[in-house]
Amino acid sequence: MDYIKQRLFEKGSEARAQVQELLSSSKDLIVDEVTIGHVLGGMRGVTSLLTLTSKLDPYEGIRYRGFTLPELYKVLPRKNPEGEPLAEGVFFLLLTGDVPTIEEVEFIRQDWVQRSNVPDHVFRTIDALPSSSKPMTRFSTAILASATQSQFQKKHRNGLRKEDYWDSTYEDVMNMIAQLPVIASYIYRKEFEDGKVIALDPDLDWSANFAHMMGFDSEEIYRLFRMYMYIHADHEGGNVSAHTAHLVASALSNPFYSYSAGMIGLAGPLHGYANQDVVRWIFDMYKHFDRDIKEQLTEDEITSFVNITLDSGKVVPGYGHAVLRATDPRFTTQMEFADKYVSSDSIVDTAKVLYKVVPQILLDRGKAKNPWPNVDAFSGSLLMHYGIKDYIFYTVMFGVSRALGVGAQLIWDRFLGLPIERPNSQTLDWLIDFSKSED
Ligand code: CMX
């Protein structure tokens, strides 16, 4: 058993005992209540899932294993003292709950380089899709096609004891994470560049390698990718993509199937697709005022376009959140990155003016529970600035990063032997009768 697995085994055995103890001592303790509003309202706020990797606070934002993003920035190993945390360290923390040493980060980095060989048929599967296919269709399909290498699936079919599920799940998750930047950059180069594949550089870290294989090589853009990957890595278990992956995995589907399904959830406009929608919408704004993209729109013009959007029944992309009730720290991290590195850029500046005007407009309209920006309100502007202009690719980048948290949690699902998910549903007639009986 390798070093990380050994560490995981010790932690996992302890957590497994804790779960057993909870089940025998407190199984019937009530954690939350479910109202008709919850049943009809997307189960918003109902505590009914177990996620070890992270916890979302409505005001502070995400904490990975107890650490806020600014705290992580300080404690996680970095390439240089001023740089951004490395994804390998983020994964180690999400998986084990411990802050890694630089040696542990290097162990994972090398391990992922070793595991980065994508089976050839996966590229052929991507190539076989029609040219009208969207990048997220290609990405999710490629992950699904990668399932031929699933060790969990093979071992489970041959008979595997429940307490050993985690081991081959770990192998699958590590292989999948290692291969995702290779798959994603292949899609990028095929769809938006000359199609020539750029080989992985065995000396680079996972995030920088992703930039490198897409065709972007500078220390500044490597830093952008490290920042992007660490802030998007996890957002507890209830969001659509994480929850979908967990749900599918609960049927003992392998990690490739599960994550592929999660990515289809991420592709929805109310979730990860919003990162492309924000840029598309900013372009629409420029078109509406018949202005060149390099010019700066005025605050009045931007305000008026926000109102036009809302009056036509659309949402303002990048604003609002099902859980957050304050500015998303992932938004702030990106804005600080822009303040540090981007001296002038009309789209980045537009994102900043939007932050000035949108919350008050949403507050005045009184509908959105959270008028503040989420992660997607800024990411596209930054990527545009650095030359990644094909915004329909942005959700794929989000998906590469999110595998760190969702993948770590899938290993824990197996370690703790979490059962197949099967909540109850009710008919509308039942709800109506129930509401009358309670009058
Ligand atoms: N613009 C306009 N209206 C908004 C809004 C926004 N940005 N955010 C919420 N509202 C509206 C909702 O559409 C809803 O209207 P209806 O009652 O007519 O359906 C009302 O305000 C109440 O919604 P809510 O309880 O505040 O928000 P939800 O929890 O239902 O939805 C979210 C959350 C993110 C889907 C929503 O805020 C939204 O659509 N935002 C824009 C899309 C976006 O940025 N999504 C990315 C989220 C982050 C991510 O997952 O990546």
Side-chain angles (χ1 to χ4, degrees), residues 44 269-272 274 310 314-322 362 367-370 374-376 398:
R44 197 77 79 261
L270 298 185
H271 193 13
L310 291 168
K314 293 182 190 153
V315 297
V316 177
Y319 282 76
H321 200 273
L362 288 177
K367 220 159 101 170
K369 293 191 190 68
N370 174 41
N374 60 58
V375 66
D376 300 322
F398 190 155

Side-chain angles (χ1 to χ4, degrees), residues 32 42-67 69 90 94 230-247 259 262-263 266 271 321-324 328 330 398 401-410 413 421:
D32 220 330
M43 301 302 286
R44 197 77 79 261
V46 177
T47 302
S48 53
L49 291 169
L50 175 69
T51 305
L52 283 77
T53 51
S54 66
K55 174 73 194 141
L56 183 57
D57 180 272
Y59 298 96
E60 280 185 322
I62 194 65
R63 281 180 179 268
Y64 296 167
R65 294 286 190 166
F67 293 96
L69 291 182
V90 173
L94 290 168
Y230 110 82
I231 65 169
H232 284 83
D234 207 21
H235 224 224
E236 70 163 54
N239 65 76
V240 170
S241 48
H243 188 191
T244 303
H246 165 81
L247 170 69
Y259 199 62
M263 289 301 91
L266 189 73
H271 193 13
H321 200 273
V323 180
L324 286 166
D328 190 337
R330 302 173 299 175
F398 190 155
S401 163
R402 187 50 63 86
L404 300 170
V406 171
Q409 181 57 39
L410 288 181
D413 289 355
E421 257 187 35

